[in-house]
Amino acid sequence: SNSINELNMIDEAIDVFSLCSPTQMHEEHLLEIAKFRPKLVFCEKPPTSNLESSKKINQYFNEAKIPIVVNYSRRWDPSIIELKKHIQKNSYGELCSILGSYNKGLVNNGSHMLDLLNFLVGPMNLVSCGKPLFDHTPSDPSVPIMLEDSNNRPIMLNITDARYYSHFECS
Protein backbone atom coordinates (compact mmCIF):
# COMPACT_ATOMS: atom_id res chain seq x y z
CA SER A 1 0.00 0.00 0.00
CA ASN A 2 1.18 3.54 -0.71
CA SER A 3 -0.58 5.07 2.27
CA ILE A 4 -1.36 3.89 5.76
CA ASN A 5 -4.86 5.34 5.27
CA GLU A 6 -5.49 2.85 2.46
CA LEU A 7 -4.94 -0.08 4.82
CA ASN A 8 -8.40 0.24 6.31
CA MET A 9 -9.80 -0.92 2.97
CA ILE A 10 -7.90 -4.23 3.08
CA ASP A 11 -9.89 -7.22 4.28
CA GLU A 12 -6.95 -9.63 4.52
CA ALA A 13 -4.72 -10.17 7.53
CA ILE A 14 -1.33 -8.51 7.31
CA ASP A 15 1.46 -10.50 8.95
CA VAL A 16 4.40 -8.09 8.66
CA PHE A 17 4.59 -4.32 8.41
CA SER A 18 7.67 -2.36 7.42
CA LEU A 19 7.36 1.26 8.51
CA CYS A 20 9.50 3.64 6.47
CA SER A 21 7.69 6.93 6.97
CA PRO A 22 9.28 10.16 8.24
CA THR A 23 10.28 9.91 11.91
CA GLN A 24 7.77 12.54 13.06
CA MET A 25 4.98 10.26 11.75
CA HIS A 26 6.22 7.00 13.34
CA GLU A 27 4.25 7.20 16.59
CA GLU A 28 0.96 7.86 14.80
CA HIS A 29 1.65 5.19 12.18
CA LEU A 30 2.76 2.58 14.71
CA LEU A 31 -0.43 3.04 16.72
CA GLU A 32 -2.45 2.65 13.51
CA ILE A 33 -0.48 -0.45 12.48
CA ALA A 34 -1.05 -2.06 15.90
CA LYS A 35 -4.81 -2.14 15.18
CA PHE A 36 -4.10 -4.79 12.50
CA ARG A 37 -2.47 -7.12 15.08
CA PRO A 38 0.46 -8.09 12.81
CA LYS A 39 2.90 -10.85 13.71
CA LEU A 40 5.87 -8.49 13.34
CA VAL A 41 6.65 -4.81 12.72
CA PHE A 42 9.94 -3.53 11.29
CA CYS A 43 10.43 0.17 11.98
CA GLU A 44 13.10 2.49 10.62
CA LYS A 45 15.07 4.29 13.30
CA PRO A 46 14.45 6.10 15.42
CA PRO A 47 11.14 4.55 16.50
CA THR A 48 9.76 7.99 17.44
CA SER A 49 10.96 11.56 17.76
CA ASN A 50 11.68 11.36 21.50
CA LEU A 51 12.56 8.89 24.22
CA GLU A 52 9.27 9.15 26.14
CA SER A 53 7.23 8.40 23.01
CA SER A 54 9.50 5.47 22.16
CA LYS A 55 9.06 4.05 25.67
CA LYS A 56 5.28 4.44 25.34
CA ILE A 57 5.25 2.67 21.96
CA ASN A 58 7.48 -0.12 23.28
CA GLN A 59 5.18 -0.69 26.26
CA TYR A 60 2.08 -0.59 24.03
CA PHE A 61 3.51 -3.19 21.63
CA ASN A 62 4.76 -5.39 24.51
CA GLU A 63 1.31 -5.38 26.11
CA ALA A 64 -0.29 -6.15 22.74
CA LYS A 65 2.27 -8.96 22.22
CA ILE A 66 3.28 -7.54 18.85
CA PRO A 67 7.02 -7.82 18.21
CA ILE A 68 8.54 -4.57 16.97
CA VAL A 69 12.08 -4.47 15.60
CA VAL A 70 14.10 -1.39 14.79
CA ASN A 71 15.76 -1.99 11.44
CA TYR A 72 19.41 -2.32 12.40
CA SER A 73 20.12 -4.67 9.50
CA ARG A 74 23.71 -5.60 10.43
CA ARG A 75 22.29 -7.94 13.09
CA TRP A 76 21.05 -10.23 10.30
CA ASP A 77 24.20 -10.06 8.16
CA PRO A 78 25.73 -13.58 8.06
CA SER A 79 29.28 -12.18 8.15
CA ILE A 80 28.49 -10.12 11.29
CA ILE A 81 26.88 -13.15 12.95
CA GLU A 82 30.00 -15.16 12.13
CA LEU A 83 32.24 -12.39 13.52
CA LYS A 84 30.27 -12.45 16.78
CA LYS A 85 30.88 -16.20 17.09
CA HIS A 86 34.62 -15.66 16.55
CA ILE A 87 34.72 -12.89 19.17
CA GLN A 88 32.91 -15.10 21.68
CA LYS A 89 35.35 -17.98 21.04
CA ASN A 90 38.42 -15.68 21.15
CA SER A 91 39.32 -17.07 17.71
CA TYR A 92 41.55 -14.06 17.04
CA GLY A 93 42.84 -13.79 20.60
CA GLU A 94 41.27 -11.93 23.47
CA LEU A 95 39.47 -8.72 22.60
CA CYS A 96 41.53 -5.79 23.93
CA SER A 97 39.72 -2.74 22.64
CA ILE A 98 37.51 -1.46 19.84
CA LEU A 99 38.05 1.60 17.69
CA GLY A 100 35.28 2.93 15.52
CA SER A 101 34.39 6.03 13.60
CA TYR A 102 31.22 7.34 12.06
CA ASN A 103 29.59 10.53 10.88
CA LYS A 104 26.20 11.87 9.77
CA GLY A 105 24.69 12.10 13.25
CA LEU A 106 24.48 10.00 16.38
CA VAL A 107 20.86 9.03 15.66
CA ASN A 108 21.26 8.61 11.89
CA ASN A 109 24.51 6.59 11.72
CA GLY A 110 25.91 6.48 15.24
CA SER A 111 22.95 4.44 16.45
CA HIS A 112 23.89 1.77 13.89
CA MET A 113 27.40 1.69 15.35
CA LEU A 114 26.08 1.44 18.92
CA ASP A 115 23.67 -1.34 17.98
CA LEU A 116 26.42 -3.22 16.13
CA LEU A 117 28.75 -2.97 19.12
CA ASN A 118 26.00 -4.01 21.53
CA PHE A 119 25.33 -7.03 19.31
CA LEU A 120 29.01 -7.98 19.12
CA VAL A 121 30.18 -7.37 22.71
CA GLY A 122 27.04 -6.86 24.79
CA PRO A 123 26.00 -4.00 27.04
CA MET A 124 28.37 -1.06 27.36
CA ASN A 125 28.77 1.76 29.83
CA LEU A 126 29.22 5.36 28.81
CA VAL A 127 32.51 6.79 30.09
CA SER A 128 32.47 10.20 28.41
CA CYS A 129 31.34 12.22 25.41
CA GLY A 130 33.24 14.79 23.42
CA LYS A 131 32.23 17.96 21.64
CA PRO A 132 29.37 17.45 19.15
CA LEU A 133 29.90 18.11 15.45
CA PHE A 134 26.84 19.32 13.54
CA ASP A 135 27.67 17.63 10.24
CA HIS A 136 24.24 16.36 9.22
CA THR A 137 21.20 18.06 10.74
CA PRO A 138 20.84 20.64 13.53
CA SER A 139 19.00 18.13 15.71
CA ASP A 140 21.40 15.20 15.18
CA PRO A 141 25.08 15.98 15.76
CA SER A 142 27.85 13.40 15.53
CA VAL A 143 29.38 12.92 18.99
CA PRO A 144 32.70 11.28 19.88
CA ILE A 145 32.07 8.70 22.60
CA MET A 146 34.18 6.69 25.01
CA LEU A 147 32.53 3.50 26.25
CA GLU A 148 33.61 0.33 28.00
CA ASP A 149 32.19 -3.16 27.87
CA SER A 150 31.32 -5.32 30.88
CA ASN A 151 35.00 -6.34 31.13
CA ASN A 152 36.13 -2.69 31.23
CA ARG A 153 37.66 -2.90 27.75
CA PRO A 154 37.78 0.51 26.06
CA ILE A 155 35.54 1.25 23.10
CA MET A 156 36.38 4.53 21.39
CA LEU A 157 34.11 6.06 18.76
CA ASN A 158 35.61 8.91 16.80
CA ILE A 159 33.73 11.12 14.38
CA THR A 160 34.47 12.46 10.93
CA ASP A 161 32.70 15.22 9.02
CA ALA A 162 29.87 14.02 6.77
CA ARG A 163 30.02 17.25 4.78
CA TYR A 164 33.14 15.83 3.10
CA TYR A 165 32.37 12.10 2.87
CA SER A 166 30.29 9.37 4.50
CA HIS A 167 32.16 7.16 6.94
CA PHE A 168 31.38 4.09 9.06
CA GLU A 169 34.20 1.84 10.25
CA CYS A 170 35.01 -0.38 13.20
CA SER A 171 38.09 -2.41 14.10
Side-chain angles (χ1 to χ4, degrees):
S1 176
N2 291 328
S3 168
I4 199 158
N5 296 326
E6 294 175 20
L7 293 176
N8 293 320
M9 296 182 282
I10 297 174
D11 292 331
E12 301 173 26
I14 301 172
D15 292 336
V16 178
F17 277 88
S18 179
L19 181 60
C20 306
S21 60
T23 301
Q24 64 270 20
M25 299 300 298
H26 282 186
E27 183 174 9
E28 175 186 335
H29 289 169
L30 286 167
L31 292 171
E32 189 67 29
I33 285 169
K35 294 176 186 176
F36 291 91
R37 311 287 302 161
K39 295 178 182 174
L40 178 67
V41 175
F42 279 97
C43 181
E44 287 301 317
K45 52 100 178 90
T48 70
S49 298
N50 65 68
L51 182 59
E52 285 307 311
S53 294
S54 291
K55 286 179 179 179
K56 182 175 98 175
I57 288 293
N58 188 50
Q59 180 179 351
Y60 184 85
F61 273 73
N62 280 338
E63 288 173 1
K65 296 183 175 26
I66 301 170
I68 183 170
V69 179
V70 178
N71 191 16
Y72 289 115
S73 56
R74 287 175 181 84
R75 286 181 170 259
W76 298 286
D77 182 324
S79 63
I80 299 295
I81 294 168
E82 191 66 25
L83 174 62
K84 179 177 181 163
K85 290 176 187 175
H86 284 291
I87 290 171
Q88 290 172 332
K89 292 180 192 176
N90 289 333
S91 299
Y92 308 117
E94 186 176 335
L95 182 66
C96 296
S97 65
I98 297 175
L99 301 173
S101 58
Y102 77 96
N103 62 20
K104 205 172 181 185
L106 182 59
V107 173
N108 187 62
N109 277 351
S111 64
H112 282 279
M113 181 68 76
L114 293 171
D115 185 73
L116 173 62
L117 292 170
N118 187 60
F119 179 71
L120 292 174
V121 301
M124 300 166 288
N125 295 313
L126 178 64
V127 175
S128 67
C129 294
K131 181 180 175 184
L133 172 66
F134 294 87
D135 64 330
H136 181 54
T137 65
S139 62
D140 185 18
S142 296
V143 181
I145 304 170
M146 181 188 296
L147 305 157
E148 59 185 15
D149 70 2
S150 60
N151 294 313
N152 299 318
R153 293 178 288 215
I155 301 168
M156 309 293 288
L157 298 183
N158 193 18
I159 57 173
T160 62
D161 195 327
R163 293 170 291 192
Y164 300 109
Y165 57 91
S166 183
H167 186 79
F168 188 94
E169 185 174 309
C170 191
S171 59

